[in-house]
Amino acid sequence: LLDTMDQSRFSNTRGVVRSLCNVKYSYRPFLEKCNRVFLLNLKELDTEHFSIILGLYQSLQFNNCDFQLAAKQRLTELINTCTDPVSFTKLFAALRPMAAQETRERLESTALLLADELNCQQALAVVETMEEMECRNSQLINKYIIHLSYVVIFIQGVDAVLPPCNLSDLNAFAVAITKWVQNDHSYWHTTSSV
């Protein structure tokens, strides 16, 4: 099937790798074929694609030096284009583990600049990557701890409201919180808005 697929349609190949990951089946010869398709389409891959592919490879415990080196080079080239919170978070998570020290410092300084613009999910992704890489940048750690502490304050407030709620109330509450967390960054700027 893979041999008959259009090699420029790497999203199909990514779907095949995702399927292998879903069934927890790591067949190396097949993954090597998929990897060749990705390597042929490096210029078409963006931060999100690299992030997904590297995550799938990690789940399947498939380490391919050629792809990792190419991903590292391409993601390093994309640093200057990832100025929005979504793409930066994906870039940070994908590149920081394999980046050279100078690149790590660039990523950390950008993470510091963008911290106020990240929602709690993005901030948590950055913090998890920092933890995995044993980040020692105290300024960055303090900045993200402050942001995540606002979320903790909010959760404590929610805990007080939840016990008397029925299932319908809980559903409405969950929908409202989800929309708020996805769309509103104002709660990060002052404690009183929490």
Side-chain angles (χ1 to χ4, degrees), residues 34-171:
C34 292
N35 193 65
R36 280 194 294 277
V37 173
F38 296 138
L39 287 171
L40 287 172
N41 291 286
L42 282 175
K43 289 293 181 189
E44 305 303 317
L45 300 176
D46 62 10
T47 305
E48 182 171 3
H49 292 117
F50 279 113
S51 179
I52 291 169
I53 294 166
L54 289 166
L56 292 171
Y57 280 3
Q58 184 177 11
S59 295
L60 291 167
Q61 296 178 345
F62 176 69
N63 295 318
N64 183 279
C65 291
D66 291 338
F67 185 77
Q68 286 186 339
L69 287 172
K72 178 181 173 181
Q73 180 180 350
R74 183 76 176 116
L75 288 169
T76 302
E77 292 170 3
L78 294 172
I79 287 177
N80 294 332
T81 64
C82 293
T83 55
D84 65 283
V86 174
S87 62
F88 175 75
T89 303
K90 291 175 182 171
L91 176 77
F92 189 86
L95 181 57
R96 193 171 189 290
M98 60 180 132
Q101 185 61 33
E102 181 182 320
T103 305
R104 284 181 179 210
E105 289 170 5
R106 282 179 59 199
L107 287 169
E108 289 174 4
S109 82
T110 304
L112 200 55
L113 292 172
L114 287 177
D116 293 333
E117 297 178 37
L118 302 180
N119 66 29
C120 62
Q121 294 157 326
Q122 293 159 342
L124 190 56
V126 170
V127 169
E128 286 173 350
T129 302
M130 289 165 48
E131 180 185 13
E132 287 171 18
M133 299 302 103
E134 299 177 0
C135 177
R136 301 278 184 247
N137 184 326
S138 60
Q139 189 178 11
L140 187 61
I141 292 168
N142 289 336
K143 183 77 165 179
Y144 278 85
I145 286 173
I146 289 168
H147 284 303
L148 292 177
S149 68
Y150 289 142
V151 175
V152 171
I153 291 169
F154 171 75
I155 290 170
Q156 290 171 345
V158 170
D159 283 344
V161 174
L162 291 182
C165 293
N166 63 30
L167 190 57
S168 177
D169 294 337
L170 289 173
N171 184 47

